[in-house]
């Protein structure tokens, strides 16, 4: 059932605070996911040369020409290089590991054998672990649907990179998605298993993926029990995405959907649930996905231990249309007040907040915040304002003055949103810059030119 | 039982958007509260001349000398002027109303007859209203305590006034308090009364005070049912504050405590609870306690109707010691790293967020955000990070450089906090300025001089 094994590739702090690379080839959350079949097509100069090492997918097209071992590298083209490195063990140095990771483009898709699939529930208040088959999960519990955003904590990281370089993929506004997820409610499953959900010793619910590392440690995450075990928060073990079985790269056969919570805790290929008095020991729970003040370029183990794991995300919004740098054509419409036609430009985008907080307002400005225009919101109906998990799509026609219309003139637009707790977005990204480039929810800005 | 009657004093928008004063003497939330006994002592030149009109308390000490009716005004000194205005009805003009309100210093304390007190529960899913005596509320239900902040939405309004004048009392950092409240859980009371809390038609829980206006409309507020009816949110009908019966000016005999929610919904002198499909029709629910973009100086009825009623408050923090403008003495302490003594200044304050979100970090800066120092936090133990209602007290020793120590040198400090959803405070108050001066949670700044 567990096809691949790997160890966490991470920068762990040593006692004196220096950073040391431990191991390459580890799954990195939010990277693109490629199946072995997709990788196998990249085995020639025309399609590019990709290789696999443990859970890592690498594009070494540019490196093959200067590989010290010459064309031997092509033996692994479109395939795993692990067998070759067992023979040519000179590769197993930190220098090579770092070089390899510099070519990293994605994670390898785990292959789950659906016949053998079981979800295990274990931990506090249970006498022994309980296993449920996929069929049991589908038939024993009421089918529940929730429309929920899954957003990477690194969404809009690109803007932080313009201030000072951060670690991680330089995401634009696209590291977020909204889908209807369907499955069994987590609380229904735990109740069926006999978990005493009122037992105060249960402080965290841990979730493990099916993807194991070399020490048999799975990808892991946890959510505080007061969130995960509250039925109104609609945590589900989802087996459908938008009405279809969940695609392999989205977590087939079961993905935990933790509405309002950062993507990294929405565990794909869910294999095990553990009721616990402590957070997951996963690297991604304890030594990553935490934010620090902007004057810190790294954090020690102690500093990570004291920092809060990202769970509920803060208020976010972005302009999706037009795109930054895109030339735009001005439109005209009749103005009933003046009886004339007036120029405008149409903008559209999304807004969302974590913790179930609905978006209550999206404002657009063309003068860096002196004047605001309120957008029209398209929202999921009939959800309470403190238990809304879908994103809000917004659009607006922003009036322009005739003086702004000359060809080539550059206009800057910015958007910001407020959630049902009236939380605001920071004006500038430097206020919340952090070395891992997480949680950038500063005003989203685009510059466009009149075509 | 209902001692006083009044009508709402408010600025209501007319159809063309102009503002018109309706009526004086109305209760204004968050003003100081004075008993008739306190007022009666201010009936002479030495103690000052106070008068009462409906629910309003006014200090007219300066006005008596220029009163067009001469000394007649002293007939009402330390007392209500209503009987006199019934006779001298020339006072009932908008000009006089506005003049009167300019002397406003507080609200009159309602006097509740404890023998007659009853809490009424009415509305959807109930066949008829149910009344509970104070004794029943104290004995029928388990006693539940919650430590909860009550914060006025106008806390820190003073900083907004420095940008452009706003309406309301110019509060500093003190329009907030933290106390242990004890009483019966709202959900226990409603369950006892037979309310079907799962009925989806119940969308709001309305709360009414015992203080009625001239049209028999009580002070009112409402909270969405998904918040008020969730047992984890610890809404209580409180009869004790810090272990003693609630003082009269804090809402004796019963005050609704809505943890994590703006002060205006924590209704004092609670008289009635109504399960409803709509928000309270109270002026303070529908036409106040809402925020708008900074380029709006007023809002029409339609604009108020579309805006979100303030409920859960956003992340907040403030420096309480030293005070702004205060001369400070530098302290010295041994620095183990260098083996020398180094200068520092000690700062302390509070931080809090609405919706039960715990404070996870408080940062202080002496250079407007380029460098941050993390404060030490004192927090209520054993509360989940998403159901924490007490404030966080913080303190920090901020290191100074020897170059900063010369007498008279001015230092600026700013603080900001993050909550468990990593919500941030805006850097500058102009980002969130609004004409009612609500929800100022921008970085709190003080300037102090080296003594």
């Amino acid at each position: 059932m567990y096809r691949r094994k790997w160890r966490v590739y991470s920068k762990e702090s040593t006692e004196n605070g220096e950073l040391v690379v431990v191991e390459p080839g580890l799954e990195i959350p939010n990277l693109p996911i490629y199946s072995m079949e997709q990788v196998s097509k990249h085995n020639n100069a025309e399609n590019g040369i990709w290789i696999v090492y443990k859970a890592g997918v690498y594009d070494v097209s540019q490196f093959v020409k200067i590989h010290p071992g010459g064309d031997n590298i092509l033996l692994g083209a479109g395939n795993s290089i692990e067998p070759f490195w067992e023979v040519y063990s000179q590769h197993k140095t930190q220098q090579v590991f770092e070089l390899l990771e510099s070519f990293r483009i994605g994670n390898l898709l785990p292959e789950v054998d659906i016949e053998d699939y079981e979800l295990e529930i274990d931990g506090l208040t249970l006498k022994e672990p309980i296993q449920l088959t996929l069929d049991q999960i589908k038939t024993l519990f009421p089918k529940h649907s929730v429309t929920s955003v899954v957003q990477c904590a690194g969404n809009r990281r690109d803007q932080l990179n313009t201030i000072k370089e951060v670690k991680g993929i330089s995401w634009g506004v696209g590291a977020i998605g909204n889908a209807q997820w369907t499955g069994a409610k987590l609380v229904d499953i735990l109740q069926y298993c006999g978990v005493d959900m009122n037992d105060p010793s249960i402080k965290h619910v841990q979730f493990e993926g099916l993807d194991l590392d070399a020490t048999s440690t799975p990808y892991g995450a946890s959510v505080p029990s007061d969130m995960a075990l509250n039925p109104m928060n609609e945590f589900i073990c989802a087996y459908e995405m938008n009405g279809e079985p969940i695609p392999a790269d989205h977590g087939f056969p079961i993905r935990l959907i933790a509405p309002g919570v950062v993507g990294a805790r929405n565990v794909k290929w869910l294999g095990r649930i553990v009721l616990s008095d402590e957070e997951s020991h996963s690297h991604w729970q304890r030594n990553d996905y935490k934010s620090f003040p902007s004057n810190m370029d790294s954090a020690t183990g102690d500093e990570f231990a004291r920092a809060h794991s990202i769970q509920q995300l803060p208020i976010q919004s972005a302009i999706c249309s037009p795109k930054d740098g895109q030339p735009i054509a001005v439109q005209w419409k009749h103005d009933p007040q003046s009886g004339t036609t007036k120029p405008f430009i149409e903008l559209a985008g999304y807004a969302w907040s974590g913790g179930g907080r609905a978006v209550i307002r999206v404002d657009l400005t063309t003068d860096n915040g002196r004047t605001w225009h309120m957008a029209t919101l398209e929202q999921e109906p009939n959800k309470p304002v403190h238990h809304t998990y879908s994103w809000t799509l917004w659009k607006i026609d922003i009036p322009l003055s005739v003086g702004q219309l000359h060809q080539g003139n550059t206009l800057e637009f910015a958007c910001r949103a407020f959630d049902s707790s009236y939380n605001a977005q920071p004006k500038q990204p430097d206020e919340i810059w952090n070395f891992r480039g997480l949680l950038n929810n500063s005003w989203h800005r685009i510059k466009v030119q009149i075509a």
Side-chain angles (χ1 to χ4, degrees), chain A residues 179-190:
Chain A
Q180 189 197 52
W181 304 91
T182 300
K185 273 196 168 183
L186 176 65
V187 287
D188 289 344
I189 291 176
L190 297 181

Side-chain angles (χ1 to χ4, degrees), chain A residues 358-379:
Chain A
V359 170
I360 60 159
R361 209 173 85 210
V362 178
D363 296 342
L364 278 293
T365 182
T366 57
D367 55 14
N368 199 25
R370 279 193 299 282
T371 321
W372 293 100
H373 306 266
M374 290 190 269
T376 304
L377 310 184
E378 183 190 323
Q379 300 189 292

Side-chain angles (χ1 to χ4, degrees), chain A residues 18-252:
Chain A
E18 281 187 20
L19 296 173
V20 178
V21 172
V22 177
E23 188 99 31
L26 280 169
E27 184 179 16
I28 300 175
N30 302 306
L31 285 187
I33 294 165
Y34 301 103
S35 66
M36 208 61 209
E37 192 192 340
Q38 287 174 298
V39 172
S40 68
K41 291 174 183 158
H42 297 270
N43 64 348
N44 54 58
E46 193 184 336
N47 292 342
I49 309 287
W50 290 12
I51 58 172
V52 164
Y53 184 77
K54 297 181 177 172
V57 177
Y58 307 87
D59 181 348
V60 293
S61 308
Q62 297 309 311
F63 177 68
V64 292
K65 302 157 200 155
I66 55 168
H67 179 228
D71 277 355
N72 273 355
I73 195 174
L74 296 178
L75 294 170
N79 212 328
S80 171
I81 55 165
E82 281 178 75
F84 304 99
W85 281 22
E86 289 304 315
V87 179
Y88 305 107
S89 60
Q90 67 269 38
H91 290 92
K92 296 191 172 178
T93 68
Q94 179 156 329
Q95 193 189 5
V96 175
F97 288 164
E98 290 187 0
L99 186 64
L100 178 68
E101 285 301 322
S102 73
F103 301 124
R104 184 72 175 260
I105 57 168
N107 293 321
L108 191 63
L109 178 70
E111 287 173 14
V112 177
D113 182 347
I114 190 68
E115 296 299 315
D116 289 348
Y117 177 81
E118 281 179 344
L119 175 64
E120 182 170 287
I121 295 96
D122 197 5
L124 295 173
T125 79
L126 288 176
K127 285 194 189 127
E128 53 183 7
I130 291 164
Q131 289 82 25
L132 296 172
T133 65
L134 182 58
D135 196 52
Q136 283 178 306
I137 295 168
K138 287 183 174 176
T139 56
L140 285 176
F141 310 106
K143 206 168 170 174
H144 184 84
S145 291
V146 59
T147 301
S148 180
V149 156
V150 178
Q151 182 184 207
C152 176
N155 192 29
R156 302 186 50 213
R157 181 178 281 141
D158 57 351
Q159 205 184 3
L160 299 178
N161 270 323
T162 64
I163 297 168
K164 191 165 67 164
E165 200 186 339
V166 296
K167 296 179 177 62
I169 311 169
S170 198
W171 291 110
V173 300
I176 185 171
N178 193 49
Q180 189 197 52
W181 304 91
T182 300
K185 273 196 168 183
L186 176 65
V187 287
D188 289 344
I189 291 176
L190 297 181
Q191 194 156 35
Y192 172 87
C193 295
V195 172
D196 177 3
M197 285 183 277
N198 294 315
D199 189 308
S201 67
I202 301 177
K203 304 234 184 281
H204 300 271
V205 185
Q206 301 178 353
F207 302 95
E208 299 178 358
L210 290 176
D211 29 358
L212 298 191
D213 69 18
T215 63
S216 292
T217 307
Y219 177 81
S222 63
V223 178
S225 57
D226 65 316
M227 290 172 64
L229 302 185
N230 182 343
M232 292 193 72
N233 291 347
E234 300 185 69
F235 277 52
I236 59 174
C237 294
Y239 43 79
E240 288 178 13
M241 179 183 178
N242 294 329
E244 302 285 335
I246 296 184
D249 59 340
H250 284 283
F252 179 87

